[in-house]
Amino acid sequence: MNAPEIHVEFAPELAVFVPSDRRRGSTALRTDGVSTLGHVVESLGVPLTEVGALLVDGRDTPVGHVPRDGERVGVRPVARPQRVPGAPLRFLLDVHLGTLARRLRLLGVDTAYESTDIGDPALAARSAAEQRVMLSRDRGLLRRRELWAGAYVYSTRPEEQLRDVLDRFDPELRPWTRCTACNGLLREATKDEVAGQLAHGTRRTYDVFAQCRTCGRAYWKGAHHDQLEAIVEGALSMRGRRG
């Protein structure tokens, strides 16, 4: 029996993942007759974390469907804002996304981050154990079945990465409540409580402090506060436009 031939069309938003000859219109593809539609889509380079609806001859179809000869498949991107059921929305970022991790924490978003390369199996296991959405630019990592949930980070620029994550997941923002170093929660602190971390000029100039409940790091409105405030205001403005 001849191998089934199907016709696959990818949404423009997914073009980054597919070969250039499959980015426009529908292209014919021979399948083995036993692989699921999800496997076929991933074999073409698209992680299932980035796929919303799979339409077979116009009907919404599960990833476990085995394509039949002549079927026309439309691959659509994840709808935004994306809802992740079953756990509070929180993230895990790999070693390459340190700036994004710090900016999400600045906004009060629960964000775990691995500052060393612990390997894909360990990252996937942590995602599952802590029920965190894995954010990465590693497509192989996002294909691992043990992930709790995942999302591809499309840009290499931190400001664009942040906008994309906020647009995709619409997390609750609570700026200035988390430690950007360790993700712990902050509390108000007196100058005496954090005096050991302060240079003489800082002790003389500032009176309002916060301290991480987990690692003890002290925070105050220092020289870079205006830059951080701009990031916060931009994120809150995005949320305001959506609301």
Side-chain angles (χ1 to χ4, degrees), residues 44-243:
L44 294 172
V46 183
L48 291 182
T49 59
E50 306 312 295
V51 175
L54 288 170
L55 304 178
V56 174
D57 295 335
R59 298 185 300 275
D60 200 348
T61 303
V63 295
H65 171 74
V66 177
R68 294 186 288 268
D69 189 58
E71 289 182 335
R72 307 190 73 85
V73 178
V75 185
R76 301 294 177 256
V78 172
R80 299 189 177 209
Q82 180 180 352
R83 301 306 178 197
V84 182
L89 181 61
R90 49 194 179 184
F91 298 101
L92 170 62
L93 279 62
D94 68 19
V95 66
H96 303 292
L97 299 175
T99 300
L100 176 59
R102 290 188 292 273
R103 293 187 179 191
L104 286 169
R105 289 170 176 175
L106 173 66
L107 298 172
V109 179
D110 188 342
T111 305
Y113 165 64
E114 289 291 349
S115 60
T116 57
D117 188 356
I118 63 173
D120 290 0
L123 284 168
R126 183 175 181 186
S127 166
E130 299 179 12
Q131 296 185 342
R132 292 180 178 274
V133 179
M134 184 78 239
L135 300 182
S136 179
R137 287 180 51 79
D138 182 341
R139 303 177 193 185
L141 171 58
L142 295 176
R143 293 193 190 103
R144 298 192 71 91
R145 293 293 178 258
E146 62 268 39
L147 280 178
W148 166 254
Y152 184 73
V153 176
Y154 286 79
S155 177
T156 59
R157 296 169 57 86
E159 59 272 20
E160 294 174 357
Q161 292 173 346
L162 182 62
R163 284 196 297 268
D164 185 45
V165 171
L166 297 181
D167 178 69
R168 177 164 175 170
F169 292 99
D170 193 24
E172 180 182 2
L173 304 183
R174 299 180 61 200
W176 316 108
T177 62
R178 286 191 178 272
C179 176
T180 57
C182 81
N183 196 43
L185 293 173
L186 302 182
R187 65 170 183 86
E188 293 182 2
T190 66
K191 185 182 296 189
D192 288 343
E193 288 177 306
V194 299
Q197 300 182 53
L198 307 179
H200 178 70
T202 302
R203 288 199 302 270
R204 186 179 64 250
T205 307
Y206 298 96
D207 295 304
V208 179
F209 298 91
Q211 187 174 35
C212 177
R213 296 177 184 271
T214 302
C215 73
R217 179 170 176 168
Y219 289 86
W220 61 93
K221 294 181 179 180
H224 300 293
H225 183 75
D226 288 348
Q227 299 174 26
L228 301 178
E229 186 67 50
I231 294 171
V232 169
E233 290 179 357
L236 294 176
S237 175
M238 273 189 65
R239 191 175 181 87
R241 290 195 298 271
R242 168 168 274 169

Side-chain angles (χ1 to χ4, degrees), residues 26-49:
S26 176
T27 58
L29 175 70
R30 290 283 181 186
T31 69
D32 59 13
V34 296
S35 294
T36 65
L37 185 54
H39 178 81
V40 171
V41 168
E42 284 198 321
S43 72
L44 294 172
V46 183
L48 291 182
T49 59

